[in-house]
Amino acid sequence: MDTSTNLPVKSVYFGNLQGALHDLNDALFEQQQHHPDIIKFASTAIDEVLNSILPELLDIRAYSHSTQGKPNMVITDAQRMIEYWPGHIIGYLRKGSTLSMYGQHAQAIEAYNEGIQNTKTSSLYKHESLTLFRNMATHKLNQPGIDFLAMLPSITANKIIIHLPQEAKANCLMVSRVWRKLTLECASAWHNLQVDDYPNSYQLVNEAPHLGRHVRYITISTSAKRAHCKTIKMLMDGHFSKIESLSMTRFSTNDFKALIRPLLVAFWQMKTTLTSLEIHFDSNKHAVSLADILWSCTNLTDLYYSIAFELSSFGTATDDHWMLNKNHPLTNLELRSAFIRGDDINSLLQQCPKLRRLVMHNCDSTVRDSIYTYASASLEILGMNSHVPVPQLTKEKNNHEHSVPGLRNIYDNIKNYSTPVQKIVPLLYKHKDTLQTIKISGVVCPNGTSMSDINKQYPDFKLKQITSFSFLSTQYTQQLMLQIIHDATTLMNLHVRYVYDLDALVETVLKLPPLEDFQFEGTYDHTQRSRSVCLIKLFDKYAVHSKSQQAAALKSVGLRDRVEVNDDVLDSLASVTTLRKVDLGPLRYVTADGIVQFFAVLGDQLVYVGLSDMDVITDTIVAALET
C-alpha cells in the first residue's frame, strides 16, 4: 500500500457560519420579528454548511478512515463530497488518491478524469492539481512494481490472509487480480462471515458466488435492508452450500414481513448442512414460526428462537404437528417469548425426542406438567425463567458418561415464592437418581398438605447424585429440602435463601460430607441473634477439617443479611485455612474491628472478597485490606 498519496487535511473555518448564525439569532429574538431577514440569514447558514463546512468535515472523516486502513469508508465519504460539491476538486482528489494508494490506479485515473470534466470552471491551479495527480496515477499504472504477496509460497500467503480482519480481506480483493485470486482461494479465511453495517459487508455478500462455498458460519447484524435482503437471496440461490451456522440479530429482522417467505426458501436450501440457528424477532410484528423452522431445517441440532409476543401468536409446533419430522434431531433449544404455556411445547417435545437442553424464558407453571409428561429421557438440562446462566451442552455426549438417562440440571425460577409443591416435586422425584444441579425458587405447601402426605406420596425421596443445590426456603418446605439431601454423599455446593430454621439447616450440614461452598442469605426472624452459636459450631468443625489435608474442603462462603453473624462468628470462620472466597453483607452486628481482625488472620489466602451494604466498611479499612 502506497501511503504517499494520502492527502492531508486542514482545520475547518467556521467564521462565515458563526456570523450567519449570530445574525439569525438576533433576528429570532427581536421583539418584532422580521421574517424576510430570518429567511435570508437561515438560507445563508444552510448554504455555508452545505457548500463549505459539510464537505470539509466529510474530508476530515475520510482522511481519518484512510489512516485506519478503511478505504471503503473513505470512498463512501468521497462520493458524498462529490454529490454535495460536484464543482469542487476535493471529493475527486480524495477518491482518486485513496484508490491509487491501494493500487487501483486505473479506477483512480477515472476519478481524476471525472473531476477534470466537472470542474472546468474552477481556477487553473485547482484544475492543474487534478491533472498532476492523474499523471502520477498513470505513471504508477505503467510502472511495474514488486508484488511481495504474489512472490510468497501459497502456504505462507494463506497464513497471512487468514489472520487479516474481514475488512482488510475485502480490500485485498480490490488490489489486483493476483491478490483477488489468492484471497478468494484461501478457504480458511472465509469460514466466518459477518454481515454488518460496514460498507465492505455488502461487497462480500456480492462475492458469495466466489467465496460462499468456503463459508461455514454467518452472522447477519446489519440494519441495512439492502444488505440482509441480498444475503438472504444468496442463501436462497445456494451460494453458501456448506453453511453450518446462521445467526440473525434483531437489527437484521426489522420490517421483515416481505422476507419471511424468502427466508423459508433459504432454510429449505440449507436443510442438509445447517445445524445451528439463532434468530431474534424481538422488534418485529412478523416472524417465521417455530414449526416452519423445524419443518424446513431438518438437520438442525441447536436453535435459539426469540419473539416479541406470545409463542402461540406466531404459530407453534402444535399447530403444524403433522408436517414435522417425527424424529427431529434437535438437541439444544432456547425459547424467549412474551409468554410460553405448556400447550405451546407439548407437540414439540414429542417431535424432538433427542432434545438434551431446553431453556425457556417467560413461561408459566404449566410447562412443568408438559416436561413431566412429554419430555424424553434424553433431556438433561432444563431452564425455566432462570435468572442465572444455564450451562451449555458438552460438545460430544459420551455413551458411557450417563448410564442412567434423565435430567441432570434444573434451573427453575417460575413465580418466586409461590410454586405449589405439587408442581415441582413430581419432576424432582421422577429424576431423583440423576439430578446433579438444582436451582429452584420458593416452593409452598397449599393448605391441607402436610409433610407426611408428601412422604407417603413420594417414598424414599433422596437425591443420590446431587452436587449443587440452591433453594428459597419457606416455613413449609425447608424440612422437605433438607430431607432430600440428608444422606447426600456427593453434595459440594449449597445455597439457601431466607433460612427459616437455622438450627435444622446447620445440623443437616454438619452430618453431610464436607462442602466446598455454601451461601446462607436472608432471614425470616430478625430476633435470632442468639443463634450465632450454631454458626460458630459449624465453622469450628470446618476449621478442624481444613487442617486434616483432605481433598474436599470449604473454599467459598457467603453470608448475606444474617442477624446471627457477629465478630465471634467471623473469628470462627477465619480459622478455616482452606477458605479462598468470602462474600459478606449486609451484616449489621459486625464491627469494624471484627472485619479488620478477620482479614488479618486470613492474610493472603483469599483470592476474592465481596463486601456490600456494610456501614462499618470505611476507606481506611479498604486501604488496610489492599495492603
Side-chain angles (χ1 to χ4, degrees):
M1 184 175 66
D2 179 14
T3 59
S4 63
T5 56
N6 192 15
L7 293 175
V9 292
K10 62 180 182 178
S11 60
V12 183
Y13 175 69
F14 290 99
N16 294 336
L17 178 61
Q18 289 174 342
L21 292 176
H22 183 271
D23 292 340
L24 178 61
N25 285 328
D26 287 345
L28 285 171
F29 289 102
E30 287 182 357
Q31 288 186 348
Q32 293 184 346
Q33 293 183 344
H34 190 249
H35 293 289
D37 285 344
I38 294 175
I39 294 172
K40 174 185 174 182
F41 297 141
S43 300
T44 301
I46 291 171
D47 291 341
E48 183 65 23
V49 170
L50 292 178
N51 296 328
S52 179
I53 293 177
L54 179 59
E56 290 182 16
L57 290 175
L58 285 171
D59 193 43
I60 291 173
R61 186 171 71 175
Y63 173 77
S64 297
H65 280 316
S66 67
T67 61
Q68 294 181 331
K70 299 179 179 179
N72 289 297
M73 305 292 283
V74 180
I75 299 299
T76 299
D77 280 345
Q79 199 60 47
R80 288 184 66 186
M81 283 187 270
I82 294 172
E83 293 173 4
Y84 286 124
W85 218 1
H88 198 283
I89 67 170
I90 185 172
Y92 306 105
L93 284 175
R94 181 62 63 189
K95 181 178 180 180
S97 64
T98 302
L99 291 169
S100 185
M101 183 167 61
Y102 281 86
Q104 301 176 53
H105 304 300
Q107 293 94 321
I109 293 170
E110 292 179 5
Y112 292 135
N113 284 334
E114 180 186 0
I116 292 171
Q117 181 66 30
N118 293 336
T119 60
K120 290 180 178 180
T121 58
S122 298
S123 68
L124 180 62
Y125 169 75
K126 294 181 178 179
H127 202 273
E128 286 183 345
S129 297
L130 286 170
T131 304
L132 175 62
F133 276 92
R134 182 188 63 180
N135 293 340
M136 290 171 57
T138 303
H139 176 71
K140 292 177 180 179
L141 180 64
N142 297 327
Q143 182 183 35
I146 300 175
D147 191 339
F148 292 100
L149 188 65
M151 295 173 62
L152 293 173
S154 59
I155 296 178
T156 306
N158 284 345
K159 288 182 178 179
I160 295 173
I161 296 171
I162 288 171
H163 289 91
L164 294 175
Q166 179 171 287
E167 189 166 354
K169 286 182 282 192
N171 294 335
C172 289
L173 296 177
M174 300 185 296
V175 172
S176 66
R177 290 186 180 89
V178 175
W179 281 44
R180 177 180 173 82
K181 184 174 184 296
L182 285 171
T183 307
L184 287 176
E185 291 180 353
C186 183
S188 299
W190 302 109
H191 281 178
N192 291 278
L193 180 62
Q194 298 279 338
V195 183
D196 48 35
D197 286 330
Y198 284 102
N200 65 4
S201 292
Y202 188 73
Q203 170 201 345
L204 292 178
V205 172
N206 282 323
E207 295 284 0
H210 307 290
L211 59 84
R213 68 186 185 278
H214 303 313
V215 176
R216 300 291 186 274
Y217 315 100
I218 297 179
T219 299
I220 309 176
S221 58
T222 179
S223 57
K225 188 171 183 179
R226 182 180 71 156
H228 61 245
C229 287
K230 188 68 173 182
T231 307
I232 292 174
K233 183 179 187 306
M234 290 297 183
L235 289 168
M236 287 174 55
D237 294 342
H239 293 300
F240 298 101
S241 57
K242 297 181 181 179
I243 183 173
E244 300 172 12
S245 173
L246 175 63
S247 176
M248 300 181 66
T249 69
R250 62 186 182 90
F251 301 106
S252 64
T253 57
N254 282 329
D255 192 21
F256 208 72
K257 183 177 182 180
L259 292 176
I260 290 179
R261 188 175 298 276
L263 183 59
L264 285 173
V265 175
F267 284 156
W268 187 257
Q269 184 69 45
M270 298 182 286
K271 66 178 182 178
T272 59
T273 61
L274 189 67
T275 59
S276 177
L277 175 63
E278 179 176 348
I279 190 163
H280 299 255
F281 292 104
D282 302 330
S283 56
N284 204 315
K285 297 180 180 179
H286 307 283
V288 178
S289 73
L290 183 60
D292 283 336
I293 291 175
L294 296 176
W295 176 70
S296 304
C297 306
T298 54
N299 281 320
L300 201 63
T301 59
D302 294 83
L303 173 60
Y304 182 101
Y305 180 77
S306 178
I307 55 176
F309 299 96
E310 295 184 12
L311 186 62
S312 56
S313 300
F314 289 108
T316 67
T318 306
D319 301 327
D320 299 322
H321 67 277
W322 57 272
M323 293 173 21
L324 296 181
N325 182 352
K326 298 297 182 182
N327 190 25
H328 198 284
L330 191 67
T331 59
N332 183 18
L333 174 63
E334 187 158 350
L335 299 174
R336 183 179 294 274
S337 171
F339 197 72
I340 302 174
R341 302 175 181 84
D343 289 342
D344 297 332
I345 63 171
N346 287 344
S347 182
L348 181 145
L349 293 171
Q350 297 174 72
Q351 305 293 343
C352 303
K354 297 179 181 178
L355 196 62
R356 294 174 54 202
R357 179 179 182 268
L358 175 60
V359 178
M360 294 170 288
H361 304 275
N362 301 318
C363 55
D364 71 359
S365 60
T366 61
V367 299
R368 294 196 194 96
D369 299 327
S370 298
I371 297 295
Y372 182 87
T373 305
Y374 297 110
S376 74
S378 299
L379 189 63
E380 301 172 27
I381 301 173
L382 175 63
M384 297 175 287
N385 299 351
S386 177
H387 60 281
V388 297
V390 178
Q392 295 291 334
L393 292 169
T394 54
K395 290 184 178 180
E396 294 292 338
K397 182 177 179 180
N398 191 325
N399 292 331
H400 305 289
E401 182 182 357
H402 303 315
S403 57
V404 180
L407 273 174
R408 261 69 190 172
N409 303 280
I410 291 183
Y411 295 76
D412 186 334
N413 193 40
I414 299 177
K415 293 183 179 179
N416 257 351
Y417 309 102
S418 60
T419 301
V421 69
Q422 292 92 336
K423 289 292 184 180
I424 186 65
V425 170
L427 193 60
L428 299 180
Y429 187 77
K430 182 178 181 179
H431 299 280
K432 61 186 175 68
D433 294 334
T434 58
L435 279 169
Q436 298 172 351
T437 299
I438 299 176
K439 294 184 184 295
I440 56 176
S441 59
V443 179
V444 298
C445 289
N447 293 334
T449 303
S450 65
M451 287 303 301
S452 60
D453 294 334
I454 295 175
N455 289 332
K456 289 178 182 179
Q457 189 173 0
Y458 304 102
D460 191 29
F461 191 0
K462 306 292 183 183
L463 299 173
K464 300 179 180 179
Q465 303 294 328
I466 191 70
T467 60
S468 181
F469 193 29
S470 174
F471 67 93
L472 189 149
S473 176
T474 66
Q475 177 180 0
Y476 304 101
T477 57
Q478 178 175 306
Q479 182 181 349
L480 172 64
M481 297 300 140
L482 296 183
Q483 174 184 303
I484 63 179
I485 63 170
H486 182 75
D487 297 323
T489 60
T490 55
L491 186 65
M492 293 184 293
N493 306 293
L494 178 63
H495 182 185
V496 184
R497 295 175 58 198
Y498 293 100
V499 178
Y500 183 77
D501 186 343
L502 181 63
D503 290 328
L505 175 61
V506 169
E507 286 302 316
T508 300
V509 173
L510 285 170
K511 294 176 183 178
L512 293 172
L515 300 175
E516 292 187 3
D517 165 63
F518 59 71
Q519 313 281 325
F520 295 165
E521 179 181 345
T523 184
Y524 284 103
D525 187 355
H526 290 275
T527 66
Q528 296 185 6
R529 291 183 59 187
S530 60
R531 301 289 180 85
S532 59
V533 63
C534 67
L535 286 179
I536 294 174
K537 179 181 178 181
L538 175 65
F539 294 144
D540 283 348
K541 179 177 180 179
Y542 271 92
V544 173
H545 180 77
S546 68
K547 298 176 177 63
S548 65
Q549 305 297 320
Q550 296 187 25
L554 186 62
K555 299 176 182 177
S556 176
V557 168
L559 299 171
R560 296 188 56 79
D561 199 19
R562 302 301 309 171
V563 297
E564 308 90 349
V565 179
N566 54 27
D567 290 354
D568 292 335
V569 173
L570 290 187
D571 185 57
S572 176
L573 179 60
S575 300
V576 181
T577 59
T578 55
L579 202 59
R580 297 294 179 265
K581 299 172 62 177
V582 293
D583 190 2
L584 308 175
L587 304 175
R588 287 171 290 173
Y589 300 102
V590 170
T591 67
D593 290 340
I595 289 289
V596 172
Q597 180 63 26
F598 176 68
F599 289 110
V601 173
L602 288 174
D604 296 331
Q605 74 183 57
L606 293 178
V607 297
Y608 173 84
V609 175
L611 297 171
S612 60
D613 301 323
M614 296 180 64
D615 294 337
V616 299
I617 304 299
T618 63
D619 293 342
T620 304
I621 293 178
V622 172
L625 295 178
E626 290 178 346
T627 58

